[in-house]
Structures are given as C-alpha cells and as structure tokens.
Amino acid sequence: MAVTGWLESLRTAEKTALLQDGRRKVHYLFPDGKEMAEEYDERTSELLVRKWRVKSALGAMGQWQLEVGEPASLGPGNLGPELIKESNANPIFMRKDTKMSFQWRIRNLPYPKGVYSVCVDQKECCIIVRTSNKKYYKKFSIPDLDRHQLPLDDTSLSFAHTVHISLI
C-alpha cells in the first residue's frame, strides 16, 4: 500500500476515541473489516499500544495481534485460557516507539554486547538479531514501513545494550 493509499484508508476508517486511565484510546474500523486499536499517553502523546484484528475466512473476529507495546499481564496466579504460563526467563521481544524512532527491546538475554549482531536483510525487507553463540535468532519486519512501501536503510540502524540488575 503506497503512502497515499494508507492515508486514504485512515481517512475512510470509522473512528472512535475516548480518554480512560490517563490514556487516549482510538479504535479504527476499516472498510475491509480490519480493526486497529491504538493507545496514547494523554500527557506525552507517546504511542503505548497498537494492535490489529482481522476477520477469519468464515467471518469470525480473530484474536488481537500486538504490533507496538507490551502484552497486558494477566496478574499473579491467573494463567489465562491456555492454562500454561510461559517462563519469565524466556526472552521477551517488544516494540516501543518514540516520535523519532522505532525501538525494539529484548529482555532476558544475558550475553555481553559483543555476542550480538544486528543487520538488515534487504532481500526480505527485515531486520535480523542474532547471537554468535547461536542461542538467539530473531527476524522481524517493520509493518509501518511496509504499509508505506518504504525500504529499510542500513545507515539508520543503531544498537544499544544495557544490563539491568534488580535487587529484591
């Protein structure tokens, strides 16, 4: 979808907005049946959550697919409908955007900075994060750039590594 096509689909979408718990929530219903929900911090206007939902082939509404932000925690003791809880030691991959950049954060990867490699795969239009010890590999695209049909630029890619220590 070209830039003008995406902007036109945003203009034609049915929109609903509300303020709740310090967040501005905007819901878009597109003519093709897709739904997008966004949540912004009311004070800073920072995008906190963006998620999509698409109808299945039989017309039933699918599950929400998170594009930006962290999944809502179910709370202690609540295992959700699957009745299985993922280990909190597994890597957590999440997107957090700012006004100037797209950011991804990967938590629970205990290796030093020199082990990581971050590169752009121009052929598949995606970014690859891997470790030299072959313990982690993640390939992902940027849906915002895909919607606007913009290429990935190697020179715009940067990588930072931080170690967080929590004391209980």
Side-chain angles (χ1 to χ4, degrees):
M1 173 181 319
V3 175
T4 55
W6 171 244
L7 292 175
E8 187 58 35
S9 75
L10 276 178
R11 284 188 193 103
T12 60
E14 183 179 316
K15 298 170 236 6
T16 307
L18 64 103
L19 293 173
Q20 181 182 23
D21 300 328
R23 293 183 174 204
R24 184 173 61 248
K25 299 180 179 187
V26 184
H27 181 267
Y28 299 86
L29 180 58
F30 296 96
D32 62 0
K34 290 182 184 176
E35 291 181 70
M36 180 176 72
E38 294 180 327
E39 295 182 18
Y40 296 88
D41 184 290
E42 188 178 350
R43 200 173 27 83
T44 64
S45 296
E46 176 186 4
L47 177 63
L48 302 173
V49 175
R50 178 183 295 137
K51 52 190 176 179
W52 290 85
R53 184 163 66 173
V54 181
K55 288 185 179 179
S56 70
L58 299 175
M61 293 309 296
Q63 295 290 320
W64 285 101
Q65 300 298 316
L66 199 64
E67 183 176 303
V68 176
E70 288 188 77
S73 65
L74 296 171
N78 187 353
L79 299 178
E82 298 86 23
L83 299 177
I84 297 175
K85 185 177 179 182
E86 186 176 330
S87 169
N88 61 357
N90 286 347
I92 299 169
F93 182 81
M94 64 162 281
R95 179 173 161 186
K96 182 176 179 0
D97 292 352
T98 66
K99 291 183 180 184
M100 300 304 293
S101 65
F102 300 114
Q103 292 182 3
W104 285 265
R105 296 180 181 191
I106 305 170
R107 295 185 183 151
N108 298 338
L109 285 180
Y111 313 112
K113 184 176 182 176
V115 173
Y116 298 98
S117 165
V118 181
C119 62
V120 173
D121 183 344
Q122 293 291 350
K123 188 174 76 172
E124 293 191 33
C125 295
C126 65
I127 298 171
I128 299 173
V129 178
R130 65 171 60 116
T131 56
S132 60
N133 61 7
K134 301 189 187 304
K135 299 287 184 184
Y136 187 78
Y137 180 89
K138 181 76 172 178
K139 182 190 278 188
F140 60 96
S141 64
I142 304 174
D144 303 69
L145 294 180
D146 294 343
R147 281 191 288 273
H148 294 296
Q149 295 180 340
L150 296 172
L152 288 170
D153 183 9
D154 293 351
T155 60
S156 299
L157 188 64
S158 65
F159 164 64
H161 180 273
T162 307
V163 176
H164 291 281
I165 299 172
S166 298
L167 299 176
I168 299 174

